[in-house]
Amino acid sequence: MMLERYGHGGDLRTAAALYGRPAEAFVDFSSNMNPWGPPEGARAAMLRAWERVDAYPDPAARTLRGALAEKHGVPIEAIWVGNGAAEAIDLALRALRPTIAAVAAPGFAEYETAVEHAGGTTSPFALRPDDDFRLRAEDVRAAAAAGADAIVLGHPNNPTGQPLAQGVVDAALDAFRGVVIDEAFLDFSPEEESLTLVRRAAERPGLFVTRSLTKFYAIPGLRLGYVVAHPEGIARIRALAVPWSANGIALEVGAAVLADREFAERTLRWLPPEREWLAARLTALGLRVFPSAANFLLARLPEGAKAGELQTTLGREGVLVRSGSTFRALEKDAYIRLAVKKRDANERLLAALAGCLEARGAESR
């Protein structure tokens, strides 16, 4: 049994069964949550919502949609709120109904699943490690020339952490009738305001931007995501979605955490230097660390080290990492993905990783 048996990181119950530790005893680098969250106001918001738990939530999520509309500078009619980014991606693709959707590899596996749910097939195209897994405009145009009528892209991409260049975005909008951009990790970038495509999505039919509130604000147990699109596209999503997709507690907490600007500013001050610090020390251990604009790092292990074996050894020491083996187009057993955490957790990871690599080196001599 592998740690990612359900296709994701953060599965503490499986980790406990595999490695013989209580779920709360792990330091989890396999799941990319903000280590500073949830914000303090989330607890008070949950208690307020609990006082109204005997009533249905607002079926139109008007308070949270209004807060998101203000944040992004788009009409409230251009926003749909639901049960996490996974549902947002699924509904955006069902609204588009692509015949063939191009997806980058490596990339988030749920893009392919969502395309299949929408009745289409996927056409993966490989990103190149010698180019730091950057997506190029020519890759996009080639995917369209090969017959794809839609494209799904991470901005930044998961697991590589690479954001989309403006030329890539323009090429995608020119080449495809349907474009889904997943910005689940973009709020970890200090350049979010200039990089986001939400305002273009609100005005342009066929462009759907999906976002997450669970990662930046560390509330994955509540499941909260949203789509920004032209109001015609939002109307199609609303017709496909089940009623009350987002529960009342999640809606209350979502509005509260969005208002906490101090929390957001602290996160954005902390992340870039801590990410660079961690990347430098991983490099010193012999890993090749790829550039990232997100709160995680993709790293290639030293020659001869195997991700599966390393994951197991670290797991037994109470440290969880994500194996790259579950991502299409990554060389099998050669990559790991790591969340960026607070300094003490990062130091624990580095110490455990150094011990594993030293032990492997001693065995090979």
Side-chain angles (χ1 to χ4, degrees):
M1 182 170 62
M2 63 186 301
L3 181 59
E4 299 89 358
R5 62 180 299 194
Y6 295 107
H8 294 271
D11 185 356
L12 296 178
R13 186 165 181 173
T14 295
L18 280 173
Y19 307 129
R21 288 172 173 259
E24 62 273 12
F26 291 100
V27 181
D28 186 10
F29 287 85
S30 73
S31 176
N32 305 316
M33 296 299 138
N34 188 340
W36 293 99
E40 193 60 37
R43 183 184 298 273
M46 289 181 70
L47 293 175
R48 287 196 303 272
W50 177 255
E51 296 300 319
R52 298 189 297 276
V53 78
D54 59 344
Y56 283 110
D58 176 7
R62 281 163 281 202
T63 299
L64 180 53
R65 286 171 59 229
L68 290 167
E70 182 177 355
K71 168 184 168 63
H72 293 304
V74 301
I76 193 171
E77 296 80 12
I79 299 173
W80 176 88
V81 169
N83 186 251
E87 184 186 33
I89 294 164
D90 185 80
L91 285 169
L93 282 160
R94 287 171 61 195
L96 279 172
R97 299 191 66 182
T99 302
I100 302 173
V103 294
F108 189 39
E110 283 197 11
Y111 300 158
E112 299 187 42
T113 303
V115 171
E116 292 168 4
H117 288 171
T121 59
T122 54
S123 176
F125 57 94
L127 306 178
R128 296 170 292 280
D130 58 354
D131 197 23
D132 288 336
F133 296 108
R134 288 187 177 89
L135 181 62
R136 302 293 185 183
E138 52 264 35
D139 298 325
V140 170
R141 287 190 283 266
D149 60 337
I151 192 166
V152 190
L153 298 172
H155 182 41
N157 188 38
N158 178 15
T160 66
Q162 284 282 357
L164 298 175
Q166 186 60 56
V168 171
V169 173
D170 292 338
L173 292 174
D174 289 343
F176 297 97
R177 69 169 180 85
V179 177
V180 177
I181 304 294
D182 175 14
E183 293 187 352
F185 293 99
L186 190 60
D187 37 8
F188 285 100
S189 170
E191 287 77 47
E192 175 197 6
E193 183 65 22
S194 61
L195 292 174
T196 183
L197 299 171
V198 290
R199 287 178 292 279
R200 292 180 77 171
E203 298 174 352
R204 181 177 180 125
L207 172 59
F208 292 75
V209 172
T210 62
R211 306 269 308 202
S212 171
L213 289 171
T214 62
K215 297 169 178 63
F216 189 82
Y217 295 104
I219 50 172
L222 290 179
R223 312 301 306 133
L224 199 56
Y226 58 103
V227 182
V228 181
H230 188 277
E232 293 175 0
I234 294 298
R236 294 202 300 275
I237 286 178
R238 197 165 52 245
L240 292 166
V242 299
W244 300 294
S245 175
N247 68 72
I249 295 176
L251 294 176
E252 186 82 26
V253 171
V257 298
L258 275 176
D260 193 340
R261 291 306 308 160
E262 182 180 348
F263 174 87
E265 290 164 3
R266 178 178 65 176
T267 296
L268 295 175
R269 287 194 303 270
W270 158 80
L271 176 59
E274 189 64 23
R275 183 178 59 216
E276 296 310 309
W277 181 90
L278 179 59
R281 278 147 185 83
L282 290 168
T283 301
L285 291 178
L287 288 77
R288 179 186 175 186
V289 182
F290 293 87
S292 173
N295 62 325
F296 54 82
L297 294 167
L298 179 69
R300 194 186 194 286
L301 296 174
E303 193 68 33
K306 295 183 178 180
E309 294 176 1
L310 183 69
Q311 184 184 64
T312 298
T313 304
L314 289 173
R316 288 172 178 159
E317 295 186 27
V319 176
L320 302 181
V321 300
R322 180 78 187 269
S323 169
S325 300
T326 58
F327 292 101
R328 184 195 288 268
L330 284 181
E331 183 182 342
K332 185 172 176 58
D333 231 17
Y335 290 82
I336 58 173
R337 192 197 67 192
L338 303 163
V340 180
K341 291 190 169 293
K342 293 181 183 178
R343 181 62 58 88
D344 57 345
N346 292 335
E347 289 175 338
R348 179 174 170 183
L349 165 72
L350 291 165
L353 186 57
C356 292
L357 294 174
E358 287 170 8
R360 184 195 63 81
E363 289 174 2
S364 64
R365 288 196 292 269

